[in-house]
Amino acid sequence: MTDHAATTLGRLNHVGVATPSIERSIALYRDLLGATVIGEPFDLPAQGVKVCFIDTPNTQIELIEPYDDSSPIAGFLRKNPAGGQHHVCFEVPDIQVAVADLKAKGATVLGEPRIGAHGTPIVFVHPKDMGGMLVELMETPAHD
Ligand SMILES: CC[C@H](C(=O)O)C(=O)SCCNC(=O)CCNC(=O)[C@H](O)C(C)(C)COP(=O)(O)OP(=O)(O)OC[C@H]1O[C@@H](n2cnc3c(N)ncnc32)[C@H](O)[C@@H]1OP(=O)(O)O
Ligand SMILES: [Co+2]
């Protein structure tokens, strides 16, 4: 019996929303929905995106805009010029255990864990293995 406990799915940390303009999207969430924008947009060149978080009571919206033409979301925006839901991110207790477990189950894990927008290790599972949904796993931040 496969041990499914290894990839213990934690809370929904954020919903990634791709946009051609993070500024326009911030205005939408703020002015249309009265959302709370967390700080200013910031660049993550290593991940090919500019990021800004929108707070909600139980999770976050992660607005992502291509940092440059080589961004991993450039292809998505060519297909979806207005942007839209790009990925969901779940927390896991141990990213290395989750990666090993997913690979053992035959899932395509994209690359190696690297530091994401929250400063903790993240990795992505290919949409083809998750029913068409791009899934990000993020190691649960240590609470200080
Ligand atoms: C890391 C910072 C931040 C954080 O939270 O900390 C982020 O979340 S940044 C998010 C941006 N980074 C990534 O998305 C990295 C992982 N993504 C990838 O490696 C690519 O986007 C990939 C491989 C999922 C798709 O690459 P690409 O679009 O160049 O390839 P294709 O166009 O050939 O797509 C293949 C196949 O997948 C479907 N697809 C693509 N993107 C998505 C998506 N977001 N959701 C669902 N499906 C997606 C695409 O339609 C193709 O399907 P097919 O049926 O083969 O036509
Ligand atoms: Co994300």
Side-chain angles (χ1 to χ4, degrees):
M1 176 71 172
T2 308
D3 171 14
H4 291 282
T7 305
T8 309
L9 213 51
R11 70 182 281 269
L12 175 66
N13 181 274
H14 63 265
V15 175
V17 174
T19 174
S21 163
I22 221 162
E23 293 303 335
R24 282 204 300 271
S25 292
I26 285 171
L28 268 182
Y29 280 85
R30 184 190 56 224
D31 303 341
L32 215 57
L33 298 180
T36 305
V37 182
I38 299 178
E40 294 296 318
F42 58 95
D43 291 335
L44 280 179
Q47 307 299 343
V49 290
K50 173 188 286 197
V51 182
C52 187
F53 283 100
I54 305 278
D55 227 9
T56 79
N58 52 2
T59 188
Q60 292 183 320
I61 297 291
E62 178 187 73
L63 296 175
I64 46 177
E65 177 188 314
Y67 180 74
D68 56 24
D69 292 342
S70 65
S71 172
I73 66 171
F76 180 89
L77 283 170
R78 278 192 290 276
K79 291 182 183 172
N80 309 277
Q85 179 175 326
H86 180 262
H87 64 275
V88 292
C89 178
F90 296 104
E91 293 180 12
V92 292
D94 183 319
I95 198 90
Q96 294 295 351
V97 168
V99 167
D101 181 53
L102 286 161
K103 285 182 174 175
K105 292 171 184 170
T108 303
V109 176
L110 296 162
E112 293 299 320
R114 62 248 195 225
I115 299 303
H118 283 293
T120 64
I122 60 147
V123 80
F124 289 86
V125 183
H126 199 285
K128 67 183 172 65
D129 297 314
M130 281 303 307
M133 173 75 83
L134 179 61
V135 172
E136 176 184 348
L137 300 178
M138 171 187 143
E139 193 160 284
T140 304
H143 291 292
D144 41 17

